[in-house]
Each structure stands twice: as C-alpha cells, then as structure tokens.
C-alpha cells in the first residue's frame, strides 16, 4: 500500500469515529452513536440494554483515549489517532477488539431486539451500520458478510473480529 492509500484509509477510519465531524474524537462521539442506535431501534436509554450500550460506549471511549489521547485533553485528533490508535491497532488488534467488545456486544443486543442475546438479524445489523454512518450499499454488503454461518443472524464474535480487522490499517510501503 502506498502512502496516499494509507492516508485515505486512515482518514476514513478516523471519520467513522468522529461522528459529529468536528475534527476530533471524544466522549460525545461515542454517546451520540449510542443515542442514535437506541433511537433507531426504539430502545429506552434507561432500560438494561440502553444502559449497557451507554456503558459500552463509555468503556470504548476510555479505551480509545487510553491508547491515543497523548496530550490528555480528553479528545483524540487525527494525528493522535494515526500515531496512537492505528499503530497500536496494528501492533495488537486483539487489545482493540477487547476495548470495543462491550459496545459492540450491547449494540448487537439492541439491534437483536427480543431475539437471543449475542446476535442480531442481518437486516438489523445493516440498519445499525447505516445509523453509525456506513453508506447503504456498504452497510448491506458488510452485514451480509458478517453472517458467517449464513443463518440470517450476525454473532457478536463475528462483529468483534470484523471490527478489529477493519480498523487495523497496514503501514504504507517504505
């Protein structure tokens, strides 16, 4: 991968977290993502699933800040994201998956409605991806590809693995 491609991929991944487009990632971006998911699926913030989603968003933010907020200002700018998060993701994608897991688990449970915990219908995952900013075509393809066993449901483990793989950006060729 050349450096222009690396920059493009990194910028795209940064934008996925910078939900409000203000140039940095902060707690508000994670809270906003949680609020949009709850609204999309008609889930109350004060119910168990809503509380789990907000707790997962907070844990995810704290993990992100812990690996990338170099100057301690409680926000991650693009340079910090590239220098901290992307490098650490590449070095330890499992760690990133673990800081994201509580949010992803709760998001799957919200999208799954009254179905079994730990999975959600493919169509619901597509809706969740759209709410979080994925384009329509991409959201559909991504949701279908996450249904590894083709049973019409997306499992938490598949979401966590795919999330980690997506945000692990390989360095450009020297």
């Amino acid at each position: 991968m050349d450096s222009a491609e690396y920059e493009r991929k990194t910028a795209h991944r940064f934008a996925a977290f910078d939900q409000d487009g203000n140039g940095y990632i902060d707690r508000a971006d994670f809270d906003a993502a949680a609020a949009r998911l709850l609204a999309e699926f008609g889930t109350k913030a004060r119910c168990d699933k809503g509380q789990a989603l907000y707790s997962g968003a907070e844990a995810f933010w704290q993990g992100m800040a812990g690996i990338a907020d170099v100057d301690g200002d409680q926000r991650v700018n693009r340079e910090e994201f590239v220098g901290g998060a992307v490098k650490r993701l590449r070095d330890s994608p499992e760690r990133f998956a673990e800081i994201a897991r509580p949010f992803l688990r709760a998001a799957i449970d919200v999208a799954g409605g009254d179905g079994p915990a730990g999975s959600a219908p493919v169509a619901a995952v597509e809706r969740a991806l759209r709410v979080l900013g994925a384009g329509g075509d991409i959201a559909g393809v991504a949701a279908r590809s996450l249904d590894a066993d083709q049973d019409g449901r997306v499992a938490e483990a598949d979401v966590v693995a795919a999330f980690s793989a997506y945000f692990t950006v390989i360095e450009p060729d020297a």
Side-chain angles (χ1 to χ4, degrees):
M1 168 181 350
D2 66 19
S3 92
E5 177 72 3
Y6 175 76
E7 286 297 318
R8 186 190 65 74
K9 284 185 175 188
T10 301
H12 191 263
R13 280 142 179 84
F14 178 81
F17 282 112
D18 182 14
Q19 295 277 302
D20 58 12
N22 65 359
Y24 55 86
I25 303 164
D26 63 6
R27 178 178 281 108
D29 291 310
F30 288 85
D31 287 345
R36 282 196 309 279
L37 281 169
L38 293 175
E40 176 68 20
F41 291 98
T43 305
K44 303 276 187 214
R46 296 279 181 207
C47 75
D48 289 344
K49 287 183 180 184
Q51 289 298 295
L53 188 61
Y54 276 113
S55 293
E58 178 62 21
F60 196 177
W61 160 245
Q62 290 295 326
M64 173 71 75
I67 64 173
D69 183 15
V70 177
D71 61 11
D73 66 354
Q74 291 297 300
R75 58 187 192 179
V76 176
N77 64 34
R78 188 169 181 273
E79 292 74 32
E80 288 173 319
F81 182 76
V82 172
V86 172
K87 181 186 181 312
R88 288 192 176 102
L89 294 176
R90 189 177 57 249
D91 293 346
S92 181
E94 305 81 26
R95 180 170 180 233
F96 185 67
E98 289 313 308
I99 68 169
R101 184 181 299 277
F103 177 77
L104 297 173
R105 174 183 299 130
I108 285 292
D109 285 345
V110 166
D114 293 331
S119 70
V122 171
V125 171
E126 181 178 349
R127 283 174 53 203
L129 289 170
R130 286 178 193 212
V131 166
L132 294 173
D137 292 345
I138 292 170
V141 169
R144 287 187 300 278
S145 73
L146 290 170
D147 182 11
D149 60 5
Q150 301 297 301
D151 68 350
R153 296 190 69 80
V154 174
E156 173 191 332
D158 295 326
V159 171
V160 172
F163 188 82
S164 179
Y166 177 76
F167 280 98
T168 303
V169 181
I170 298 170
E171 267 186 293
D173 297 333

